[in-house]
Amino acid sequence: MSSNQIDKIRNIGIMAHIDAGKTTTTERILYYTGKSHKIGEVHNGTATMDWMIQEQERGITITSAATTCRWNNQVINIIDTPGHVDFTIEVERSLRVLDGAVGVFDAVSGVEPQSETVWAQADKYKVPRLAFVNKMDRMGADFDNCVNEIREKLDKKAAAIQRPIGSEESFNGIVDLIEMKAIYFPAESLGSKIDIKDIPEDLVDECQMYRDELLDNLSEYDETLTDLILNDEKPTVANIKAALRKAVIKDNFIAVLCGSAFKNKGIQPLLDAVVDYLPSPTDRGELHGHSIKNPENTEVRRPEVDEMFSGIAFKIATDPFVGSVTFVRIYSGKLESGQTVYNPIKKKRERINKIFQMHADKRTELQEAFAGDIVAVAGFKDTTTGETLCTENKPIIYDLMEFPETVISVAIEAKTAADEKKLLTSLEQLKNEDPSFTFKNNQETGQLLILGMGELHLEIIADRLQREFNVGIRVGKPQVSYRESISGSATENNIFHKELAGKVQFGDVTIKVEPADYQAGVQFESSVPTKQLPQNFIDAIKKSVMDTAPGGAMAGYPFLNIKATLVGATFNENESSEVAYAIAASSAFRDACKKAGVRLLEPVMELEVVTPQDYTGDVISDINAKRGKILTMGIKQNKDLISAEVPLAELFGYSTDLRSKSQGRASFTMKFKSYVEMPTELAKSTLEKKGIYI
């Protein structure tokens, strides 16, 4: 992309519930834009964007893949995101840097649970969206129901800009409500050829009614359109498109389209809509960040090439030929190969060795890239996901991303001594790639644990270790990742006064702990003035508390929902040392937590089950038996929809349980909700299994 064409860029994501057809839709986009010359299919394992062997085997998207194509002289950077809840971090970090998105919906299933999750993520970053109702050829397809569910379940102002011609097996085209023309996609050309005809006579009145509804909706957002309608003047196509673009970009209005990606119908009009209605980087306007010297002060960057460089590193991946690459969204200025940029969070310089434009797992080397581009960069050593990159002489920090809590763990061990040497290095690399994955040594058992978002997530991690990193491992059974918290407040003092390495070390720390709603773990504050204790010692105390928190004080589980306050400290100018204060702080913090009463927290999941009514009673009984709580009941596709909250510990193997209870006819989805306190007796028995008695 040349330096003066930023308004011709569309940075979009394709997002949806699993199996709604995201990757299939992306494959058709690549084919019709000429990016690929053969249509890849998910079910055959030949989809371009599902390039990982784990994706091809399972027929699902695991990692977000980026590509670039052209349509009507516009550049479209596309990120195809996963639909499975275990990989929701991939959606989160993609939406953080995108200007627009296309939500894909199954015409039969409508708005599904993961659809709601990804739309909430898009709301957080204020990403304008279009909706594409896919699979209109399936039995039970209901376009109007999808539009209504987008309005009701997603709480969006939405209107159709297309109508299907036929449905299910008879679906053979669409009506464009703006142009008022029928569009057909002849099968013999794989949908490449488009026939534009008059609307079938039996649909004219219906389409006119829906067009009037669309104009009525759009008149709320555009004064020109309102004046035309009030004066009984006929708005032009240009008037309607201008109003629709304004509504989508500025007011989060959802334009709904339809088609069947698998049957090659509706993709070209979708591409037209992406270009016509989703924003360019210029439309999104100037970017606001924080000053490095004073975080409360705002720094601004314009999405222009002659502005100072800034961007966000939103993803790290391993390329078999290049090594580690960092995906960067450039917000302002430009990047050149060989250039040095600055990471203001790490206070480190990073050198741009090479710049690539990515096409799934393939790459094209570039000499430079400009504001609005999404590129992969080789050469970074310290930058991790979500961190800002900028010029050193004019730094800016953009808001960091929030990463979800891990809720499940698996014990792994290396098979041989050679594997053991490679294991930790490989795990560190995977952790850099995936912020929702981590690993640690369990101090109680000596086991190495890998922690993630769900069983599938950890299954993929273990599979990659063996295939991609050639590490031989043994994998244990999945375990719940519990947390520890406290039930009351307590204050504890600890004094460290010993000779270390031939020098007397002194540290005197008093710490107060109390319960707090802080899902990130432990919140630290200091009420000790720097006149009483120099700042470097306060920083050492804070670091010590934060380093101690992941080990808990009872069973080795990380602390959660705790506020720790440094309320007292004694300073000895001759003997005080950072090491002594760190040791004293760690002991004071743990002792205060024990004194306050340590309690065990367990992860609770939001569970949604869709079941034929014949099995509803058995499903509800099973949920109750699993310590679940039924929240709501409703109807979906003539089946019962049951929403519940259930502890994760009770849900291992639930897919097998549900199949047996419903003869394989029920389905479910679940996602993490929160950590809650375990009943005392259950907590005791859980800890006793680990050899811990309270």
Side-chain angles (χ1 to χ4, degrees):
M1 175 54 60
S2 65
S3 61
N4 60 352
Q5 293 183 305
I6 298 174
D7 61 335
K8 293 186 179 297
I9 298 176
R10 301 292 183 273
N11 291 316
I12 67 165
I14 310 290
M15 61 183 201
H17 186 90
I18 192 169
D19 286 338
K22 299 176 305 304
T23 302
T24 303
T25 301
T26 309
E27 289 299 316
R28 271 44 179 191
I29 288 174
L30 296 179
Y31 180 70
Y32 296 130
T33 58
K35 187 70 178 183
S36 60
H37 302 290
K38 182 181 177 183
I39 296 177
E41 300 292 5
V42 174
H43 60 274
N44 292 333
T46 58
T48 305
M49 304 302 276
D50 285 351
W51 58 270
M52 291 175 64
I53 191 167
Q54 293 86 358
E55 295 176 313
Q56 294 166 359
E57 289 177 345
R58 292 165 175 79
I60 62 170
T61 301
I62 292 168
T63 184
S64 54
T67 189
T68 301
C69 56
R70 289 177 177 269
W71 185 254
N72 290 349
N73 200 32
Q74 310 281 313
V75 172
I76 305 177
N77 294 316
I78 302 172
I79 297 182
D80 177 31
T81 64
H84 196 286
V85 68
D86 281 15
F87 308 105
T88 189
I89 184 61
E90 290 286 338
V91 185
E92 178 89 13
R93 60 184 176 183
S94 297
L95 288 171
R96 172 67 181 86
V97 298
L98 291 171
D99 299 319
V102 176
V104 180
F105 297 89
D106 186 320
V108 179
S109 303
V111 175
E112 298 176 271
Q114 187 63 6
S115 303
E116 297 182 57
T117 301
V118 296
W119 278 61
Q121 289 172 304
D123 284 341
K124 181 162 78 173
Y125 297 117
K126 297 181 173 59
V127 178
R129 277 147 278 174
L130 301 174
F132 179 66
V133 178
N134 191 27
K135 303 188 179 183
M136 283 299 304
D137 57 308
R138 280 187 62 200
M139 184 176 292
D142 190 337
F143 179 70
D144 291 324
N145 178 63
C146 278
V147 177
N148 289 331
E149 288 199 352
I150 291 169
R151 290 169 178 160
E152 294 166 10
K153 289 191 175 182
L154 302 178
D155 192 26
K156 297 294 178 189
K157 291 183 178 179
I161 63 171
Q162 296 174 352
R163 295 292 303 170
I165 300 174
S167 190
E168 301 179 344
E169 289 185 357
S170 63
F171 174 68
N172 64 354
I174 59 176
V175 172
D176 182 337
L177 295 179
I178 298 174
E179 302 268 4
M180 285 302 275
K181 289 290 183 181
I183 305 173
Y184 298 92
F185 308 87
E188 62 272 13
S189 68
L190 288 177
S192 294
K193 185 186 175 200
I194 296 176
D195 289 342
I196 298 176
K197 299 181 179 180
D198 290 334
I199 300 171
E201 287 187 18
D202 59 329
L203 293 178
V204 171
D205 290 342
E206 177 188 304
C207 289
Q208 187 60 53
M209 178 186 75
Y210 283 106
R211 188 177 198 262
D212 291 341
E213 179 186 309
L214 172 64
L215 295 180
D216 187 48
N217 276 293
L218 292 179
S219 65
E220 298 178 29
Y221 304 100
D222 188 86
E223 291 182 7
T224 302
L225 192 64
T226 304
D227 291 341
L228 290 170
I229 293 171
L230 290 175
N231 294 323
D232 291 327
E233 294 180 38
K234 189 175 180 181
T236 64
V237 168
N239 293 144
I240 300 170
K241 285 188 173 183
L244 183 54
R245 179 176 176 78
K246 181 178 177 182
V248 169
I249 293 175
K250 301 296 184 187
D251 294 284
N252 212 11
F253 179 84
I254 309 300
V256 188
L257 302 89
C258 62
S260 171
F262 184 62
K263 294 293 179 67
N264 311 309
K265 296 173 182 176
I267 302 302
Q268 294 94 329
L270 174 61
L271 281 164
D272 289 337
V274 166
V275 168
D276 289 342
Y277 309 124
L278 289 181
S280 69
T282 307
D283 294 317
R284 293 283 273 169
E286 59 187 23
L287 288 306
H288 295 267
H290 304 285
S291 164
I292 191 170
K293 294 179 180 176
N294 185 352
E296 294 186 6
N297 290 348
T298 299
E299 287 278 342
V300 176
R301 296 289 184 274
R302 302 182 316 278
E304 297 172 4
V305 174
D306 58 3
E307 175 68 275
M308 297 294 255
F309 165 74
S310 70
I312 287 181
F314 69 94
K315 178 180 169 71
I316 296 171
T318 301
D319 186 287
F321 299 100
V322 182
S324 179
V325 294
T326 303
F327 285 78
V328 177
R329 162 66 195 268
I330 305 174
Y331 283 113
S332 62
K334 70 175 183 177
L335 272 184
E336 294 178 328
S337 187
Q339 180 181 345
T340 298
V341 296
Y342 185 62
N343 181 331
I345 295 171
K346 296 278 179 63
K347 295 181 171 58
K348 298 273 189 179
R349 297 184 184 95
E350 296 276 25
R351 180 175 170 79
I352 310 290
N353 289 342
K354 291 185 177 181
I355 303 172
F356 300 103
Q357 184 179 83
M358 299 300 293
H359 177 49
D361 61 333
K362 299 176 178 62
R363 73 210 70 74
T364 303
E365 189 169 348
L366 307 172
Q367 289 305 308
E368 55 187 2
F370 304 96
D373 286 340
I374 293 176
V375 294
V377 172
F380 288 175
K381 294 179 179 177
D382 299 298
T383 299
T384 56
T385 300
E387 292 180 345
T388 302
L389 298 164
C390 58
T391 50
E392 189 171 0
N393 62 340
K394 193 178 180 184
I396 185 173
I397 297 178
Y398 293 120
D399 288 338
L400 291 168
M401 302 180 201
E402 295 177 4
F403 301 125
E405 285 281 338
T406 55
V407 295
I408 190 170
S409 66
V410 164
I412 63 169
E413 61 180 23
K415 286 183 177 179
T416 67
D419 290 324
E420 195 166 341
K421 289 180 181 178
K422 291 191 291 184
L423 181 56
L424 289 178
T425 305
S426 302
L427 287 172
E428 195 65 50
Q429 195 165 328
L430 287 169
K431 183 180 176 181
N432 286 338
E433 289 183 24
D434 182 357
S436 64
F437 164 74
T438 189
F439 63 95
K440 69 173 185 177
N441 279 301
N442 187 321
Q443 295 176 350
E444 305 293 326
T445 64
Q447 290 178 308
L448 178 63
L449 299 179
I450 57 174
L451 299 96
M453 300 303 298
E455 291 181 77
L456 179 60
H457 187 197
L458 295 184
E459 180 188 321
I460 298 296
I461 292 289
D463 194 47
R464 288 188 66 193
L465 280 170
Q466 295 176 86
R467 292 202 210 187
E468 201 174 309
F469 294 89
N470 298 314
V471 180
I473 56 171
R474 298 184 186 90
V475 184
K477 292 182 179 179
Q479 303 289 325
V480 177
S481 181
Y482 294 102
R483 295 290 185 270
E484 295 179 24
S485 192
I486 53 177
S487 51
S489 301
T491 302
E492 197 67 32
N493 170 258
N494 189 276
I495 299 173
F496 183 88
H497 195 191
K498 291 182 180 178
E499 184 176 320
L500 292 175
K503 183 182 177 183
V504 176
Q505 313 272 353
F506 173 80
D508 178 3
V509 176
T510 303
I511 289 178
K512 177 185 178 183
V513 296
E514 55 193 316
D517 184 13
Y518 191 67
Q519 289 284 317
V522 175
Q523 181 182 13
F524 180 86
E525 289 184 4
S526 173
S527 61
V528 175
T530 52
K531 288 181 180 179
Q532 182 180 332
L533 185 69
Q535 186 63 46
N536 61 309
F537 294 112
I538 295 175
D539 291 342
I541 291 167
K542 178 180 179 179
K543 184 177 186 304
S544 176
V545 169
M546 293 306 186
D547 289 345
T548 303
M554 176 175 61
Y557 296 117
F559 272 127
L560 193 69
N561 293 341
I562 294 176
K563 180 181 178 182
T565 307
L566 176 64
V567 294
T570 304
F571 179 65
N572 183 320
E573 191 168 342
N574 296 319
E575 298 181 344
S576 287
S577 71
E578 292 182 16
V579 171
Y581 280 101
I583 295 170
S586 178
S587 297
F589 174 65
R590 285 173 64 92
D591 291 344
C593 289
K594 289 177 181 177
K595 190 174 176 182
V598 180
R599 56 198 179 99
L600 197 63
L601 307 182
E602 65 175 340
V604 169
M605 313 299 283
E606 288 183 5
L607 177 71
E608 280 205 356
V609 181
V610 178
T611 175
Q613 294 179 352
D614 294 350
Y615 309 107
T616 300
D618 289 342
V619 171
I620 290 175
S621 297
D622 187 46
I623 290 173
N624 288 332
K626 295 181 186 302
R627 297 192 287 129
K629 180 170 70 175
I630 305 296
L631 301 178
T632 60
M633 290 190 62
I635 302 293
K636 188 176 183 69
Q637 304 161 25
N638 298 318
K639 295 181 179 179
D640 281 343
L641 173 65
I642 303 165
S643 297
E645 292 178 359
V646 188
L648 174 62
E650 306 289 344
L651 289 173
F652 290 129
Y654 185 63
S655 57
T656 304
D657 290 349
L658 188 61
R659 277 199 299 270
S660 65
K661 293 276 187 302
S662 65
Q663 297 183 10
R665 294 174 62 194
S667 61
F668 78 97
T669 57
M670 66 175 176
K671 65 178 179 180
F672 170 70
K673 184 177 188 296
S674 63
Y675 277 93
V676 300
E677 185 172 0
M678 287 183 77
T680 304
E681 289 305 313
L682 189 61
K684 285 178 68 175
S685 66
T686 300
L687 293 173
E688 284 170 5
K689 290 175 184 175
K690 292 172 60 70
I692 300 167
Y693 298 90
I694 56 174

